[in-house]
Amino acid sequence: MTKHLDTFSAFISQTRFEDIPADAVSRAKLIIADCVGAIVGGSAEPELLAFTSSIKSSGTARILGSSNLTDQQTASLINGTAGTVLEMDEGHQFARGHPGMHVFPALLAATEGTTEAVSGQDFLTAFIVGYEIAARIGLATSLNANMHPHGTWGVVGAAAALGALHKLDEVQLAQLLNIASSLTLATSRKTMLEGGTVRNAYTGVANQMGHLAYQLFMAGFTGERDGIGSVFGGVVSSNFDVEAALESIGIRFEVNRNYFKLHACCRYNHAALDALWILIDKHQELKNPDQIDHINVESYFLAAELNDQKPRNMLAARFSIPFAMATTLINRSSKVHSFTGNALNDPRILALAAKTSISENSLMSAQLPDLRPAEVRITMKDGRNFKAEVKTNRGDWQDPYSNAQLKEKYMSLATRRWSYKKSDNVHNNIISLEGFSNVTTAFDG
């Protein structure tokens, strides 16, 4: 086997709950709660309601936000899809993607309908291990520029979590990871920019493929000798940086370098929105957005791509800095309600989006991935100018949100489908998850 495959397999098989630092366990529980909130909140969207109602299969795995039960693969697909539709799921800036939502739905489904109860400690261990493998492949890979990261390395993370849950040995894990690496999607980056909502299913499919990889492994299927190196070093990417993938593995846990989102849109919008909120809080004149003449945003190159002033649907709107700035100013909020409902057809929002421009600042681009800077300049019709800049996004490991802020976000999402009492009970259960002898009861509320 190769160095990375040997190391990954050993890490997955040998990591025990007691080996994981307390701060990583605490962070993982916050990530799991965030995933649940994003899934339940996303399940309220019309296309998710229709998708869920179209499922006729029966089983033991729950669809969060619904009373429906289905098979494990289908539950993973639906929950993973629901978790991305609102653009509120956590992420990892160095992996340039969302490990949590690629691991949690598959792992949750795998614990339901089993003959033996899965403890909270075993669940947390499998989640942290799966997150670790997903994030490390992501940070070591330079995806082709036209690819979307959803549905790529996340498949291997989901499979790694299932392998850890089922306590496979190192040889078995290597085979499972090799199979999983060949089940990635040919994802298109244009979907997010053009509002192709099939993009929301990429994460769901990745979770589903994690289960398929395990099923194929158990049936005796095999993969390449080094599927990770082959796929992520020569198919979807021209290079797989082994040293970066393995750096401090088992010492530095990637859950501790994640970020959380409070703005309900693409992460590349967030620096600009953080700067905008500085201006909103400082200048009362912005309470009247009709007096704004123009908004200029400078940021890094990934943010500069989000320049659509008239997005065709709400997915495209979540990937539009002009729309994000405009709906935030009009609604005095950047939460979910500003990116759902009739916001896309609000003439005041559209008029203000048409006055907003975004351009790349090469000096800001050079600061990636450690920082995500932006500068916002607002010119009023009377000639006054307001300016604010930020060096990094709120909510990342350098400038984290408080636990209270994260719970407020969770409750705002979960109560879109659940009662306040159930939402609160599930959150409290997740925060004490290591104490559960049967993890499925934690999600019953």
Side-chain angles (χ1 to χ4, degrees), residues 178-201:
N178 281 333
I179 292 170
S181 63
S182 286
L183 297 177
T184 60
L185 290 173
T187 60
S188 173
R189 186 176 180 80
K190 281 187 177 181
T191 54
M192 73 178 193
L193 299 174
E194 296 181 2
T197 54
V198 65
R199 169 260 180 198
N200 293 331

Side-chain angles (χ1 to χ4, degrees), residues 56-106:
K56 306 302 180 185
S57 60
S58 60
T60 58
R62 77 186 77 199
I63 299 173
L64 291 174
S66 166
S67 60
N68 294 15
L69 296 175
T70 185
D71 62 274
Q72 292 181 350
Q73 287 195 31
T74 304
S76 299
L77 169 64
I78 295 175
N79 287 332
T81 301
T84 60
V85 71
L86 295 177
E87 270 298 305
M88 288 295 275
D89 49 321
E90 68 85 45
H92 192 283
Q93 69 195 67
F94 301 100
R96 299 172 295 277
H98 304 261
M101 199 56 72
H102 282 83
V103 173
F104 173 74

